[in-house]
Amino acid sequence: MSASSKSSLFSLSRNSEVYEDQWLVGTGPSASLDPNHPPELQLAERLDCDTSGLMIITKSHKVAAELVRAFTDHKVSKTYIARCIGSAPKWERITVKSGHGRSRFGVWRGYAASDVGRTLPGGSMVRDMETLFELLSVNGQGSYKEPSEFKKDEANVVVVEEKTVVDGDARKDEVLVRARPRSGRTHQIRSHCQYLGISIRGDVKYEGVYEWKGATYDGHELHAESLSLEHPVTGLPVMFRAPVPSWASQALQH
């Protein structure tokens, strides 16, 4: 079995495997699995197209069901790293709360927090989504910090009630952030980065720049960095980590 991407950002390597036991496989930016693995391999969750980083693969249907339950019950903690373009944030940590659902055209989008629970055309419902952000660097000034649990600062919570207006003439900086989604909605981090005025580089769907300083980007720079949970069989706490991508390392160079 192998994993592939339409983007040139990724390569395949057996070395991408970061963890394996008799029940689980943890893979990094991309994966190539031994064909002798059991036939019940299942992805515990999926990443957006062109999002790199950590994925968990189960080796049995029973373990897969346990992991799905853990994700549904919000017992899994994940962190992502994103390289964004926009005005340098004035915050070091911030929490964004909003609604999430499909528009009348079937496109995923953010809604006002007050819309949570409202029924949309087509019968779906606006659900809540919440993301905690941590600023890592601006224009290469900063340092990489190990992912750790950080508590929400109630004094620095943004509740989305209307679309933000971004000043197109404002200074554009390169911003590296860590995101910790409290809910697992489609395009959650990408949508909230757009709201904060720091769209992810290459993410044209959410107003990210396609061209920057003479270079073009054929995929967005979002990386699933870590995943923490109780092991679905042993019950022991485990954390999986994927290697930091080269674009994140470059963003931290002074």
Side-chain angles (χ1 to χ4, degrees), residues 109-138:
R109 51 157 289 195
Y111 287 83
S114 57
D115 285 332
V116 172
R118 180 166 68 89
T119 301
L120 298 170
S124 64
M125 184 176 293
V126 177
R127 304 169 72 186
D128 67 299
M129 66 177 177
E130 178 178 331
T131 311
L132 285 70
F133 287 95
E134 177 183 11
L135 183 63
L136 295 179
S137 76
V138 176

Side-chain angles (χ1 to χ4, degrees), residues 24-36:
L24 301 172
V25 179
T27 70
S30 56
S32 178
L33 297 176
D34 192 318
N36 294 321

Side-chain angles (χ1 to χ4, degrees), residues 40 42 58-67 69 232:
E40 296 183 8
Q42 295 185 57
T58 62
K59 297 183 180 180
S60 75
H61 298 310
K62 183 177 180 180
V63 174
E66 290 295 327
L67 269 185
R69 187 176 298 110

